[in-house]
Amino acid sequence: MTMLSQPSTGTNWQRVATVHDLDARGCKTVHVTGRTLVLWHSAGHVYALDNRCPHMGFPLDRGTCRDGILTCHWHAARFDLRTGGTFDPFADDVQVFPVQVRGEEIWVDVGGERDLRAHARARLRDGLEQNIRLVLAKSAIALLEQDGDDREPLRIGLEFGVHHRRLGWGQGLTMLTCFGNLLPHLDAKERPRAVYQGLDAVSRETAGAAQRFILKPLPGPTPPASTLKRWFRQFLAVRDEEGAERVLVSAVRAGLSPAELAELLFAATTDYRYLQIGHALDFVNKALEALDLVGWEPDVTEAVLSSLVPGIAAGSRQEESNAWRHPLDLVALLEQAFPQLPAALTEGRQAQGAWVGRVALAEQVLADDPQATMEALLQALREGATPEQVAGAVSYAAALRIARFHLSNEFGDWDTTLHTFTFAHAVHMGLRRIVTVPEAEAAQAELLRGVGDAAMSIYLDRFLNIPPTRIPEPQPRGDQPERMLEQLLAQLDTQQQVNEVAELVARYLCEGGDERHLLAQLGHALLREDRDFHSIQAVEAAFREYELLRGTPEATHVLIAAARYLAAHAPTPRAQGQTYQIALRLHRGEHLFEG
C-alpha cells in the first residue's frame, strides 16, 4: 500500500485506523475531533472523505466504490475518491482530507477547513445555472446563518438573472426583489426561506433561456442628460430596443444619479398608456428597488437597468386597445387632462401640507365617472395635495378593489385587480423617488400621467365590485390577538376562506394586536405556499402601502386586501417548502434517511 499523494500543510494529523482495518470491505468509518469520516481503499491508495453525502446526508460508507468512483446508494450521486468532486451537479462535492500511511497506521489531517461562505456562494451559482432547488435552499441557509448579509445572495441572483435571460427583466427578478423588500418584516428564521424562494424564481425563469449581452456605452464624451432623455424616448417611440439600451447604458456611465435615472425611465414608460397592462412600470420600480437593496455600482446598474428596455420597447400600449377607446375614449380624456398637470401643480404649491382628502379622492376614483375622476385628481393638486399624496390615494383605491372583490367573479379576475394595484403602487413609489431631481416639478407632472392611467384602470375594473364585498369593521370584544394569528394560518389551510381571513385580520388590529406580528404571520403564510408571481406582488406592495398609511383605517383596508388575495390562492402543494425543510434539516446535521 502506498501513501495517498495529497499535499498538506496542516498540523492536525490524527491516527485513525490501521491498514488491516480496511481489508474486509476496503472501507471503514472513523470518528475524529467530532467529525465522522469514511476511509476507502482503492487501487493501492487510502482516501478519507466526509461520511455524509453532500446531497442529502446519506452515509457514504453504505455506498459502492468502483474504479476510483464512489456511488452513494440513496440517490446514486457519484464522487471521485481522490478529489471529492461529484459527477452529478445536484449532489455537491464531498470534502476530502489528506491521508498518510505510516507503516501499518493510517493518519488523516483533519485540520483543514474549506471556506464555507465561499463554497456556499459557488454552490448558489451552480444552483442558479442548473436550476436545482435544493442547492439554492442550502446555499441561502448557509449564507444567511449567524446574521449573514442578505445582500450577498440577492446580488448574486440579481446579476445572474439580468445576464441569463435574453428578454431581460421579468417575473423572476421581480419576485426576488419583492422577497428582498419583505425581509425586514419577517421573523429572522424565515429570511433564508424568502431569499431561497426569490432565487428559485430567477433560476426557473432563466432555465433554458438565451444569454443576454449588454451593449457598451457611446464612445467619447457623453451627451448631456437632456439629450440622452430625448433620444431614449425617441428610440422607444419606434420600439428600437438596441438604440434605447445604448442610450440608457451611456446615461449610467455618464454618472446620472439614481433619482435622475429613475426619472428618465419613469418618464419614458409613462409616455404610453398602461404599458404592458402595468407590468412595464412595475418592473422599472422593482429594478430600482433591487439596486437599492444591493448597491448602485455602475456595472450592476448598467446590467439591471438595461434589462428593462425589451419590456418597455415591446410592451402593449393601451392607446391601441379597444377597451380604452370604446365605449368611452379614455385615452382622449387623459390626453385632455395631462396638459393641465403643470398648472395644477403650480397653483397648489403654496397650499401643500394641509390637504386631507385622501379617502374622498379614493372614493371618487372608484366611482363610475372617469371624467369626474380626472377633474378630482387635478383639483386635489390645485388644493395643495402633493403628487405623492394623489398617487397614494389612487393606490389606496386600487387596493380597495381587491378588498371589495366579490367571490361571484371568475377566479382569474383577481389578477385584473392585482395588475392595477401594483401599477398604481409603482407610480406612487416613483413619485417618492424623483423628488430630488433637477426640475422636479416638471418630472412629477410627467409621472402623474401614470396616476391618470391607474385611475382609468381602476374605473375599468369597476365590474369586479358589483356587488362590492363588505369590508369588515369589527368592534372590540376582548379576543386574544395571538390566538387569532393561529386561526389565520388554520383558515389558510382550507380553500376559499377569503372573507373569513379578512375578518380575522380586521379583528386582530381592532383588538390592538401587534402589527409586526401580523405582518410576520402574513409573510409566513406567503412563504409556506408555492406562491405565484401575483400573490408575491400583492403582499409586498400592500406591506409598503401599509407602512405609509400606518395609524389610519386605510392601512387596515390595505392589509385586508393582501390577506384576501392570499386566501384566494391558498393552499397549494407547498413543494418549495418541503425542499426548504430538507435543506434546513441537512444544515442542522439531521439524518433524513432515518425518517
Side-chain angles (χ1 to χ4, degrees):
M1 186 176 293
T2 60
M3 182 180 74
L4 175 62
S5 178
Q6 278 187 309
S8 172
T9 59
T11 59
N12 193 10
W13 287 93
Q14 303 284 330
R15 180 188 180 283
V16 295
T18 68
V19 172
H20 298 294
D21 293 331
L22 302 180
D23 285 347
R25 276 190 71 218
C27 165
K28 180 177 177 59
T29 302
V30 297
H31 303 281
V32 189
T33 62
R35 186 192 298 272
T36 303
L37 308 183
V38 59
L39 305 177
W40 279 95
H41 176 209
S42 176
H45 291 272
V46 176
Y47 303 92
L49 305 88
D50 192 311
N51 195 42
R52 281 174 60 87
C53 176
H55 175 221
M56 290 181 68
F58 195 73
L60 290 177
D61 61 354
R62 301 190 195 178
T64 299
C65 178
R66 179 177 299 171
D67 194 23
I69 295 175
L70 173 60
T71 301
C72 177
H73 278 196
W74 201 6
H75 297 96
R78 297 158 300 166
F79 305 93
D80 169 25
L81 276 177
R82 183 179 62 85
T83 65
T86 185
F87 300 97
D88 301 286
F90 68 82
D92 193 2
D93 297 339
V94 64
Q95 188 170 1
V96 297
F97 301 87
V99 174
Q100 290 182 356
V101 179
R102 304 173 183 176
E104 296 296 314
E105 296 179 339
I106 300 173
W107 290 69
V108 176
D109 180 5
V110 293
E113 287 287 350
R114 62 185 176 188
D115 186 333
L116 296 180
R117 293 193 65 81
H119 181 75
R121 287 192 292 268
R123 285 300 286 162
L124 173 53
R125 293 184 177 93
D126 291 341
L128 289 166
E129 292 171 1
Q130 303 292 329
N131 189 25
I132 307 173
R133 181 174 281 178
L134 182 60
V135 171
L136 295 173
K138 290 194 287 189
S139 301
I141 292 168
L143 288 171
L144 267 69
E145 73 171 345
Q146 297 179 347
D147 299 321
D149 186 355
D150 53 55
R151 292 175 298 177
E152 187 172 35
L154 291 174
R155 177 170 177 149
I156 292 172
L158 179 66
E159 291 190 273
F160 183 89
V162 295
H163 284 98
H164 289 83
R165 186 171 185 262
R166 172 65 186 85
L167 296 177
W169 191 280
Q171 294 184 5
L173 286 169
T174 299
M175 287 188 274
L176 177 68
T177 307
C178 285
F179 282 125
N181 288 340
L182 287 171
L183 291 178
H185 300 290
L186 302 174
D187 290 338
K189 64 181 181 180
E190 296 274 25
R191 291 170 191 162
R193 185 198 295 254
V195 172
Y196 144 64
Q197 291 198 12
L199 293 168
D200 182 43
V202 171
S203 182
R204 283 185 285 119
E205 188 168 53
T206 55
Q211 189 172 354
R212 181 172 163 268
F213 298 97
I214 301 167
L215 297 178
K216 292 180 173 59
L218 294 167
T222 306
S226 59
T227 300
L228 292 171
K229 180 177 178 180
R230 186 174 66 251
W231 287 352
F232 187 62
R233 296 167 88 163
Q234 287 175 358
F235 287 131
L236 288 175
V238 294
R239 302 183 188 274
D240 183 348
E241 177 184 324
E242 292 180 337
E245 180 179 334
R246 194 161 200 199
V247 170
L248 183 55
V249 171
S250 300
V252 176
R253 193 63 61 92
L256 269 66
S257 70
E260 290 174 311
L261 291 168
E263 191 268 329
L264 181 151
L265 285 160
F266 280 127
T269 309
T270 51
D271 280 342
Y272 311 99
R273 310 283 58 82
Y274 199 50
L275 191 61
Q276 196 60 25
I277 59 171
H279 284 320
L281 195 69
D282 178 54
F283 286 179
V284 168
N285 182 51
K286 284 294 168 280
L288 297 170
E289 291 176 349
L291 290 169
D292 291 339
L293 289 169
V294 306
W296 287 75
E297 295 181 14
D299 288 348
V300 179
T301 302
E302 288 177 12
V304 169
L305 297 188
S306 63
S307 75
L308 295 164
V309 173
I312 300 173
S316 59
R317 303 168 181 182
Q318 294 310 301
E319 53 265 46
E320 302 167 343
S321 74
N322 182 69
W324 284 62
R325 291 290 190 178
H326 303 284
L328 294 177
D329 193 338
L330 301 178
V331 175
L333 177 61
L334 290 167
E335 291 175 346
Q336 292 167 8
F338 290 161
Q340 303 176 57
L341 289 168
L345 278 169
T346 300
E347 183 178 341
R349 187 185 306 135
Q350 298 303 317
Q352 286 182 358
W355 186 77
V356 291
R358 177 174 56 226
V359 174
L361 180 57
E363 289 298 342
Q364 174 56 59
V365 172
L366 291 162
D368 194 8
D369 190 342
Q371 178 71 55
T373 290
M374 289 310 301
E375 181 53 41
L377 295 175
L378 289 166
Q379 187 59 29
L381 294 169
R382 297 185 189 109
E383 292 174 356
T386 65
E388 192 234 319
Q389 286 176 317
V390 173
V394 174
S395 292
Y396 171 56
L400 286 177
R401 281 279 187 243
I402 302 174
R404 296 174 177 173
F405 184 94
H406 201 281
L407 299 183
S408 61
N409 293 306
E410 285 193 291
F411 183 77
D413 278 326
W414 282 103
D415 292 350
T416 303
T417 60
L418 185 280
H419 291 147
T420 302
F421 175 49
T422 53
F423 175 82
H425 171 70
V427 178
H428 187 192
M429 296 300 101
L431 282 163
R432 291 174 57 84
R433 186 179 287 275
I434 66 172
V435 293
T436 61
V437 300
E439 302 180 4
E441 192 167 287
Q444 289 171 327
E446 288 191 319
L447 187 45
L448 278 167
R449 296 175 301 175
V451 176
D453 289 354
M456 293 303 99
S457 187
I458 292 169
Y459 161 75
L460 289 170
D461 295 346
R462 66 196 183 282
F463 68 96
L464 298 174
N465 290 162
I466 301 175
T469 291
R470 179 189 66 84
I471 295 179
E473 296 180 355
Q475 297 298 315
R477 63 187 189 191
D479 292 341
Q480 295 181 353
E482 295 309 310
R483 174 60 179 157
M484 281 184 269
L485 291 182
E486 297 174 7
Q487 293 172 352
L488 178 65
L489 289 183
Q491 291 284 6
L492 290 170
D493 283 330
T494 305
Q495 288 185 340
Q496 291 301 309
Q497 298 299 295
V498 175
N499 294 329
E500 292 82 357
V501 165
E503 184 73 31
L504 275 172
V505 168
R507 182 163 295 284
Y508 177 88
L509 293 171
C510 174
E511 296 288 357
D514 190 325
E515 65 178 22
R516 295 171 301 173
H517 295 169
L518 176 59
L519 294 174
Q521 191 76 318
L522 288 171
H524 171 68
L526 175 73
L527 289 168
R528 70 176 186 164
E529 304 291 348
D530 292 342
R531 289 300 182 187
D532 65 0
F533 173 50
H534 293 136
S535 296
I536 297 162
Q537 283 185 299
V539 172
E540 188 268 341
F543 277 25
R544 182 65 175 129
E545 293 291 338
Y546 178 83
E547 288 178 333
L548 298 173
L549 292 167
R550 184 179 281 113
T552 69
E554 298 92 87
T556 299
H557 299 163
V558 170
L559 280 193
I560 286 173
R564 294 185 86 240
Y565 200 97
L566 278 176
H569 296 78
T572 64
R574 302 179 182 175
Q576 278 185 316
Q578 182 187 21
T579 298
Y580 181 79
Q581 289 302 320
I582 290 172
L584 190 60
R585 292 180 63 191
L586 289 170
H587 186 75
R588 293 169 178 165
E590 297 180 23
H591 293 167
L592 272 67
F593 55 91
E594 293 178 349

